[in-house]
Amino acid sequence: MGMSGKLMVGNWKMNGSLAANTSLLSELLSGMGGVNCLAAVCVPATHLAQAQSLLAGSALALGAQDVSAHESGAYTGEVSAAMLRDFAVRYVIVGHSERRQFHGETDTVVAHKAQRALAAGITPIVCVGESLAEHEAGQTEAVVKRQLAAVIHTNGHCISEIVVAYEPVWAIGTGLTATPEQAQAVHAVLRAQLQAATAHSQRVPILYGGSMNAGNVAGLLAQPDVDGGLIGGASLKAPDFLSMLKAASR
Ligand code: PGA
C-alpha cells in the first residue's frame, strides 16, 4: 500500500489528562491498520513526555501546539523549540487563531515562532485564516496573504519546509465548515503565494481546518489543493479521528 501523501493532524487544544490520553492514544494505535497517510497529534506541553513514550515506534507522530519566539532565557512560562526537540516533537502548530485572538500573537511573532521551530528541525504548521467579520467584508484573500507573507518574509530560504493550515476562524469549533469549493479557492491563493516564494518546485502541504469531521473530510480532501487536515474536536474521539485517517488513506 503506497502512502496517500495526505497529512492529518489532531489538535487536542487544552484537553486531556494522563488517564484520558492513555485510553485515547491506545485506542488510536490499535486502530491504525489500513492507515497510510501521515498522521500526528498535537498535545499539551505537559503531556509531551507521556505521548512520546506511548507513541514511540508508531505511525502516529508527536506534535506540540505552540513554541516560544525566543531561543532561551528569561521568558517565564514559555517553552522553547529546543525543549520540544528533546521530546522528539516533529510538528508544532504556530499562529493558531486562538493564540492570535486570546494571546495577542501578531504576524511577526508567528513568523519568529516558525523560525525557531525550523532552526530546531521541527516542522511548523503555520495557521492562517480570516474572522467572520473579515469573511463577510470580502477580506479573506487579503488577510490570509498578509498572514502568510510575514512567515515567508522571515523564513524565505526554508519556506519549503513548512506546513500551512487554512483555518477560517468562523469554522473553528462552530460546526460550520467551509465548503470544499470555498476551501479550494483559498488554498489555491496560498499555493500560488508559496510557489512564488519557493526556489524549487517542492509542494508545501496546505491543510484545511475548522469543523472537519468524518462526514465532510472526503469532500474537502478531494480538492486538488487540500493536502490534509488540522482537526480539533473530532481528534479527541478515537473512532472519528480513525475514520478520518482512513478517509485520507485512500
Ligand atoms: P475544530 O478545530 O476541528 O474543533 O473546529 C480545528 C482547529 O482549531 O485546529
Side-chain angles (χ1 to χ4, degrees):
M1 186 164 32
M3 296 291 288
S4 79
K6 303 287 189 197
L7 170 60
M8 302 294 280
V9 180
N11 173 13
W12 288 6
K13 310 193 179 188
M14 198 170 71
N15 295 291
S17 65
L18 295 177
N21 304 345
T22 300
S23 56
L24 176 54
L25 290 176
S26 65
E27 206 180 332
L28 288 176
L29 292 178
S30 64
M32 292 285 286
V35 170
N36 69 6
C37 63
L38 294 167
V41 286
C42 295
V43 310
T46 48
H47 295 161
L48 287 171
Q50 180 200 26
Q52 180 191 19
S53 112
L54 290 175
L55 297 178
S58 81
L60 204 48
L62 182 59
Q65 299 174 13
D66 187 25
V67 64
S68 178
H70 306 284
E71 192 170 1
S72 68
Y75 301 102
T76 302
E78 293 275 88
V79 174
S80 74
M83 292 169 186
L84 297 181
R85 188 67 235 167
D86 269 350
F87 293 92
V89 164
R90 292 265 308 280
Y91 300 97
V92 62
I93 298 168
V94 299
H96 190 280
S97 66
E98 288 148 18
R99 302 288 323 166
R100 295 177 188 263
Q101 199 178 342
F102 305 131
H103 302 272
E105 292 190 11
T106 62
D107 292 342
T108 307
V109 165
V110 173
H112 286 115
K113 289 185 170 200
Q115 188 174 39
R116 291 293 172 202
L118 288 165
I122 297 170
T123 301
I125 300 173
V126 175
C127 298
V128 300
E130 82 286 6
S131 68
L132 181 60
E134 290 162 340
H135 184 75
E136 287 174 343
Q139 294 168 344
T140 299
E141 276 192 30
V143 169
V144 299
K145 284 169 93 169
R146 186 203 74 222
Q147 291 172 332
L148 183 58
V151 176
I152 291 172
H153 175 77
T154 303
N155 299 280
H157 55 294
C158 42
I159 204 68
S160 63
E161 308 299 316
I162 74 168
V163 169
V164 172
Y166 169 54
E167 298 204 303
V169 179
W170 49 270
I172 295 176
T174 57
L176 289 172
T177 320
T179 64
E181 294 72 24
Q182 279 176 316
Q184 170 56 28
V186 178
H187 283 227
V189 167
L190 296 169
R191 175 82 60 217
Q193 191 178 3
L194 287 162
Q195 271 170 356
T198 41
H200 320 285
S201 54
Q202 279 143 319
R203 185 180 172 97
V204 171
I206 307 176
L207 316 182
Y208 169 80
S211 297
M212 201 185 229
N213 60 41
N216 60 33
V217 63
L220 287 158
L221 293 180
Q223 298 300 311
D225 288 301
V226 177
D227 301 314
L230 183 55
I231 301 131
S235 75
L236 295 170
K237 298 176 208 128
D240 294 42
F241 194 51
L242 283 170
S243 95
M244 297 171 79
L245 296 183
K246 278 162 193 161
S249 297
R250 286 198 259 282

